[in-house]
Amino acid sequence: MTTMDLRADIGEILLTEAQIQARVADLGVQISADYAGRPLTLVSVLKGSLPFMADLMRSITLPVRIDLMEVSSYSGATTESSGLVRILKDLSSSIEGEDVLICEDIIDTGLTLNYLVRYLGGKKPASLRICTLLDKPARRLVEIPVDYTGFTIPDQFVVGYGLDYGELYRNLRYVGVLRPEVYTESE
Ligand code: IMP
């Protein structure tokens, strides 16, 4: 069960606040150079990508537009492997002709992003690239062309800096591994 002490529920801290901030700043520099002279549209996937998007957009020196989508994966055993996702919140405006960069918190199986890339690609952006803070390649089921990766991490369930377990822990400034007792005791 989740205690009232968020820190006590975390075992190893995988990425400190300083490490995350330094890497996000680097990504901003790289993205600003790659898209130099072009305005950029960042599309973030709620809710986990919120802190990442907020920090990344402030590290980019180009004119930036933002838009937000929210999706949920179907949880049924058969639909899960097909990568079907439901759109809970769609884009607010057209991305046709725009340079679009998807900001994701973490790529795990890749099924969510695989769907999103096809969905957003159908809206005729001038270009479509992917930036993810975390990549867990060990669990990938579909190949995803990731253009920018913050950190590649091992196959562990992590929380913090936007990532949740049961909607909690998103407000931690670091990324940590949840103690197994937290999820085994609540099942
Ligand atoms: P995918 O479709 O399997 O790539 O799932 C991506 C989504 O699963 C992410 O946007 C997260 O919401 C969630 N997810 C995957 N791994 C983790 C994790 O370690 N902690 C928290 N959420 C995760």
Side-chain angles (χ1 to χ4, degrees), residues 4 13 17 53 64 84 128-130 141:
M4 288 305 289
I13 294 182
E17 180 180 3
M53 161 99 133
V64 159
L84 276 179
L128 184 61
R129 286 183 173 180
I130 296 169
L141 293 178

Side-chain angles (χ1 to χ4, degrees), residues 104-112 136 156-158 163-164:
E104 253 294 26
D105 50 358
I106 187 166
I107 308 179
D108 190 23
T109 63
L111 293 173
T112 309
K136 250 197 243 181
Q156 285 174 307
F157 192 82
V158 292
L163 292 155
D164 76 306

Side-chain angles (χ1 to χ4, degrees), residues 45-76:
V45 190
L46 292 169
K47 304 168 193 163
S49 308
L50 214 50
F52 179 44
M53 161 99 133
D55 286 339
L56 183 66
M57 66 189 269
R58 288 176 291 174
S59 302
I60 296 174
T61 51
L62 307 166
V64 159
R65 293 189 187 89
I66 63 165
D67 210 334
L68 303 164
M69 287 192 68
E70 185 169 7
V71 298
S72 82
S73 301
Y74 283 102
S75 49

Side-chain angles (χ1 to χ4, degrees), residues 1 10 50 54 70 83 86 102 143-144 151 156 163 177:
M1 233 176 61
I10 307 297
L50 214 50
E70 185 169 7
R86 193 157 54 105
I102 303 175
E143 207 180 312
I144 298 284
F151 302 92
Q156 285 174 307
L163 292 155
V177 181

Side-chain angles (χ1 to χ4, degrees), residues 6-167:
L6 293 179
R7 177 65 189 91
D9 292 345
I10 307 297
E12 183 194 354
I13 294 182
L14 216 53
L15 302 166
T16 64
E17 180 180 3
Q19 284 175 303
I20 296 170
Q21 293 303 325
R23 186 71 188 113
V24 174
D26 283 350
L27 286 172
V29 170
Q30 196 187 338
I31 290 166
S32 303
D34 290 354
Y35 289 87
R38 291 144 66 192
L40 184 60
T41 301
L42 299 178
V43 173
S44 171
V45 190
L46 292 169
K47 304 168 193 163
S49 308
L50 214 50
F52 179 44
M53 161 99 133
D55 286 339
L56 183 66
M57 66 189 269
R58 288 176 291 174
S59 302
I60 296 174
T61 51
L62 307 166
V64 159
R65 293 189 187 89
I66 63 165
D67 210 334
L68 303 164
M69 287 192 68
E70 185 169 7
V71 298
S72 82
S73 301
Y74 283 102
S75 49
T78 49
T79 51
E80 207 171 29
S81 58
S82 69
L84 276 179
V85 304
R86 193 157 54 105
I87 295 178
L88 301 178
K89 189 218 166 294
D90 207 340
L91 295 173
S92 301
S93 48
S94 166
I95 54 166
E96 189 172 341
E98 295 184 7
D99 288 305
V100 174
L101 182 61
I102 303 175
C103 291
E104 253 294 26
D105 50 358
I106 187 166
I107 308 179
D108 190 23
T109 63
L111 293 173
T112 309
L113 213 43
N114 187 51
Y115 171 86
L116 268 177
V117 165
R118 281 184 285 135
Y119 179 77
L120 294 175
K123 298 196 172 289
K124 302 193 179 70
S127 68
L128 184 61
R129 286 183 173 180
I130 296 169
C131 178
T132 187
L133 178 73
L134 306 176
D135 187 4
K136 250 197 243 181
R139 286 180 30 103
R140 195 75 92 254
L141 293 178
V142 282
E143 207 180 312
I144 298 284
V146 187
D147 301 283
Y148 304 96
T149 303
F151 302 92
T152 301
I153 61 166
D155 184 12
Q156 285 174 307
F157 192 82
V158 292
V159 294
Y161 197 66
L163 292 155
D164 76 306
Y165 173 69
E167 292 299 327

